[in-house]
Amino acid sequence: MKVLFLTEGSSSIGFGHITRCLSLYQAFQKLGAESHMVVKGDESTRSVLKGFSYELFDWQEGWKGFKERLGEFNAVVVDSYLASKSIYEDISECPTTALYIDDYKRLDYPKGIVLNGSIYAEELSYPQREGIFYLLGTKYIPLRQAFWRLEGRRVRKSLKKVLITFGGDDSKNMTPEVIRFLRRHLPEIELHVVIGGGFKNREDIYRLSDGKVRLHERLSAEQMKTLMLEADLAISAGGQTTYELARTGTPAILVAVAENQLLNCEGWHKVGFAKYAGWWEDKELFERLGRYLQEFINYQERLRASRIGKSLVDGKGALRVVKFVLMAFRKGLSYPSL
C-alpha cells in the first residue's frame, strides 16, 4: 500500500501539522505501508522531515498539475488549514482511501474519513452523512512513535523541575517572559527550556541561562519524552504538545498563542489535566499563571492531574487510525459503519 501525505509547515506557522502527519507516517510504516510526504514549507522544514520520504512543494498553488499524481497512491492523508474544499473534493473522487485531519470542523468534508483526536472533538457536532466516517476524541490522537510506549512516571512529593515549551517558533515571545516570571517567583526551581527550530528570540533566552535555567535544542522525540517524564510540571503552548504531556502524565499550565489552541486549552482545563492561564495577550495572564503554580506545588494536585492525562491518552491513537484506514482500503472504499 502506498500512502500520500499532503500538509504544510514552516518557521512562520510552526510544524504541528507535520509532526502529526509524521506520527501517522510511522504507524503506516509499522504496519507495512509505504509513505511519501509533500509539504508546503520553507527550508527550515527540512530539519523536521529528516529521515522521512518527502518533497517540499506548494501543492495547493500547483494543485491543477499535482492532482494527476493521486492515482499513484492507495490512500491520501490531508492535514491543512489552508487547502480549499475543492482540493478535498478532487481527492474524494479518486479511487483512493481519503483521511482528512481536522481540528475545528473547518470544512463540510466530502466522502472519506475525518480524524479529530482533540480533547473536545466529540462536542463539535459533526454532520452525519453517508460515505463519511469520524474518528473523534483522544482515543485516536496520533502521537510520535517515541510516545507509543512509556516507562512509568514517578510523581515527586515536591515540585523541583519545570519544563517550558512553546512550540517550534515561539512567535509570541512567551519563553523569555515565562523564564523571567519563574525566576522572580520560584528562584529555587530548575527550569528546562525547549528551543524550537524557528525561534527568533534565541539571544534573549540564552542571556537568561544559568545553573537553574537549562536550554535544550534540536531534540529528538525520545529526548522530548525524557524531558517530560523528568519534569514535575510543564508550562506550554496549547497545541499538539499537550497530548504528549498528557501521555507522559506531566501536569501543565497552558497559554494559548494561536486561536486554534483555544478549544484545546479549555478542554484540558475542563477535564482537570491542565490549568488554562489564558490568551497570550491577557492582562491577567501572569497573575493566573502564578496562582496555578501555587496550586501545582501541592503533590496531590499534580498526582491527580497526572492520572487524568494518562487515562485520556494511551499512545495507541496513530495505530488505531491506520488500522481503520487499512480496513477501509481492503473493503474497497466502502467505509465501515458504526
Side-chain angles (χ1 to χ4, degrees), residues 14 33 44 53 157 182 201 209:
S44 69
S53 172
K157 293 287 185 179
L182 292 176
N201 51 1
S209 177

Side-chain angles (χ1 to χ4, degrees), residues 40-94:
K40 178 181 178 179
D42 57 21
E43 286 302 309
S44 69
T45 310
R46 294 190 185 278
S47 62
V48 186
L49 294 164
K50 188 177 181 181
F52 296 87
S53 172
Y54 76 93
E55 62 188 274
L56 294 184
F57 176 71
D58 189 346
W59 51 275
Q60 297 156 21
E61 186 67 26
W63 182 251
K64 185 175 180 181
F66 181 83
K67 67 180 179 180
E68 303 302 321
R69 294 176 57 184
L70 295 178
E72 302 171 21
F73 299 90
N74 307 111
V76 179
V77 179
V78 187
D79 190 351
S80 174
Y81 283 171
L82 304 174
S84 65
K85 186 177 178 181
S86 63
I87 288 178
Y88 290 88
E89 289 171 341
D90 285 345
I91 293 169
S92 74
E93 291 169 3
C94 291

Side-chain angles (χ1 to χ4, degrees), residues 2-50:
K2 294 182 67 176
V3 184
L4 173 66
F5 286 85
L6 300 173
T7 191
E8 63 229 9
S10 67
S11 57
S12 60
I13 66 172
F15 306 110
H17 295 294
I18 296 174
T19 300
R20 195 157 51 183
C21 285
L22 291 179
S23 306
L24 293 172
Y25 184 118
Q26 290 171 324
F28 274 112
Q29 189 175 49
K30 177 80 172 176
L31 296 176
E34 177 185 343
S35 296
H36 181 67
M37 296 187 69
V38 178
V39 182
K40 178 181 178 179
D42 57 21
E43 286 302 309
S44 69
T45 310
R46 294 190 185 278
S47 62
V48 186
L49 294 164
K50 188 177 181 181

Side-chain angles (χ1 to χ4, degrees), residues 36 56 71 90 95 102 105 122 138 161 163 170 182 207 210-211 235 239-240 246 251 266 289 309 332 335:
H36 181 67
L56 294 184
D90 285 345
D102 183 63
K105 209 163 64 170
E122 294 174 90
T138 56
K161 297 183 179 182
L163 175 66
D170 192 20
L182 292 176
R207 281 194 292 268
D210 59 26
I235 299 176
Q240 180 79 1
E266 291 164 358
L289 178 59
Y335 292 95

Side-chain angles (χ1 to χ4, degrees), residues 262-288:
L262 291 170
L263 289 175
N264 217 32
C265 292
E266 291 164 358
W268 283 124
H269 188 100
K270 182 178 178 180
V271 299
F273 163 64
K275 308 284 189 183
Y276 174 38
W279 179 247
W280 70 279
E281 291 180 301
D282 286 355
K283 292 181 180 179
E284 298 178 354
L285 174 67
F286 284 95
E287 178 185 331
R288 286 192 292 267

Side-chain angles (χ1 to χ4, degrees), residues 107 140 270 300 319:
L107 294 173
Y140 297 105
K270 182 178 178 180
Q300 291 296 334
L319 289 169

